Amino acid sequence: MAAWTTSDIPDQSGRTAVITGANSGIGYVTARELARRGARTILACRSEERGSAAVAHLLTEVPGAHAEFARLDLGDLASVRKFAAAHEDTRLDLLINNAGVMALPFHRTADGFETQFGVNHLGHFALTGLLLPRLLETPGARVISVSSGLHALGNIDIGDLNSERRYRRWIAYGRSKTANLLFIHELARRLAATGADTVAAAAHPGYASTNLQTAGPRMENRRVAERIVELGNRIVAQSAEAGALPTLYAATAPGVRPDWFTGPGILGLRGAPAPSWRAKWTRNDVAGERLWAASEDLTGVRYDALKG
């Protein structure tokens, strides 16, 4: 992985990638760089205005790119199902579960789930399950989930997945990012059991400057906190372009193995992609199975394609 950059991305011509939350930040950079290498990129975003603007901007940066907007609200399972139904005949090589929310005040999704768990994990769990038949049909397909080094803030609480007993925004965020890693761990195990060559892996951007960090303070009109975060982004964080490298590596580099976790090589915060530390609880088979069963029950999405 030494000094791996976007120039190392293999040719993506003929491949199709769905990138959630691709209207800004590392999601946008991921979509742009895949398009630059020839992929058809589907920018799956909640806001039609922002998603369409992102596609228009991408086309100015990569003239002739095959990029398109599709509406997807991961906080609404009806929207997830509608998106999947609209793409049931679409060739799919890459599903990049990038969208996420961070440290928001307590709120619920359209389906009643705590927002961070609902958007960061359950929405992507449902999306992946609904699109899995397309992935299994495509040789060498990959599912990449974007987690965070902050998964270390907390293991999941299987008895309180929606933080109903007590809500602490940063712990809830960490648990949702643990859920991302447990999902990839269990998905990789189930894919291997069926002999599928689809690769499920994870990545994280380290500390990258995006609008993810400021969303929470802005929602609560905490101007001082928002300014502090903005200052930290300017002084400490790496760029969104650098933060996207681990995702792009996991999605395209030859030899990526199932259940790998890739992040920045310098203390997990910045630098070129490298193998990333992860908490031992994110490789717990029993926890992975229990989260999987709970996620199927909560979303109503069953991974029948992996049931032999």
Side-chain angles (χ1 to χ4, degrees):
M1 296 187 188
W4 194 91
T5 70
T6 54
S7 64
D8 295 306
I9 299 173
D11 180 42
Q12 300 294 300
S13 298
R15 309 189 82 205
T16 299
V18 168
I19 307 100
T20 68
N23 59 282
S24 65
I26 66 172
Y28 173 79
V29 175
T30 299
R32 183 192 67 199
E33 295 307 315
L34 291 173
R36 196 188 302 278
R37 290 294 178 176
R40 173 193 177 191
T41 56
I42 300 172
L43 284 70
C45 313
R46 181 171 59 87
S47 166
E48 181 172 358
E49 179 182 2
R50 292 193 295 270
S52 297
V55 171
H57 184 57
L58 189 156
L59 293 174
T60 67
E61 295 194 284
V62 188
H66 191 172
E68 61 198 77
F69 161 76
R71 188 176 185 279
L72 171 66
D73 183 352
L74 290 160
D76 184 346
L77 291 176
S79 175
V80 174
R81 290 183 180 277
K82 185 176 181 179
F83 176 92
H87 295 87
E88 62 182 2
D89 295 321
T90 301
R91 173 192 172 98
L92 185 55
D93 299 82
L94 294 173
L95 172 58
I96 300 178
N97 294 323
N98 163 80
V101 293
M102 173 190 281
L104 302 181
F106 185 84
H107 194 64
R108 294 185 186 274
T109 68
D111 303 284
F113 308 128
E114 185 276 311
T115 298
Q116 296 191 83
F117 181 67
V119 170
N120 295 353
H121 171 64
L122 289 176
H124 283 126
F125 178 90
L127 179 67
T128 304
L130 293 168
L131 294 178
L132 188 61
R134 304 287 76 78
L135 292 157
L136 293 174
E137 291 171 356
T138 308
R142 297 185 188 181
V143 177
I144 307 301
S145 286
V146 178
S147 182
S148 169
L150 293 179
H151 77 273
L153 290 175
N155 195 359
I156 62 166
D157 181 351
I158 198 67
D160 189 26
L161 291 173
N162 285 297
S163 301
E164 293 174 323
R165 288 199 295 265
R166 182 183 181 189
Y167 182 71
R168 292 168 292 174
R169 68 185 69 197
W170 283 106
I171 299 300
Y173 176 72
R175 287 173 171 172
S176 75
K177 296 288 102 178
T178 283
N180 293 154
L181 287 170
L182 271 175
F183 165 60
I184 286 296
H185 177 71
E186 183 64 11
L187 178 59
R189 189 185 70 79
R190 292 180 183 231
L191 287 166
T194 63
D197 73 345
T198 303
V199 171
H204 76 93
Y207 185 6
S209 179
T210 71
N211 59 14
L212 184 67
Q213 296 95 338
T214 57
R218 187 176 298 119
M219 286 178 65
E220 297 179 291
N221 198 30
R222 292 186 293 131
R223 299 298 298 169
V224 173
E226 185 179 350
R227 294 293 172 79
I228 290 172
V229 170
E230 289 173 345
L231 182 63
N233 280 355
R234 287 198 300 270
I235 296 174
V236 180
Q238 61 180 354
S239 66
E241 280 74 11
L245 288 178
T247 300
L248 287 163
Y249 181 94
T252 68
V256 170
R257 303 293 300 165
D259 204 24
W260 273 16
F261 188 34
T262 304
I266 302 176
L267 300 177
L269 296 175
R270 58 192 307 125
S276 184
W277 173 87
R278 61 194 286 181
K280 63 181 181 180
W281 58 70
T282 67
R283 294 187 188 274
N284 185 301
D285 291 348
V286 173
E289 291 176 1
R290 294 180 72 189
L291 177 64
W292 187 282
S295 300
E296 285 193 331
D297 289 343
L298 289 168
T299 64
V301 174
R302 311 286 171 179
Y303 281 59
D304 293 334
L306 297 181
K307 293 181 180 178

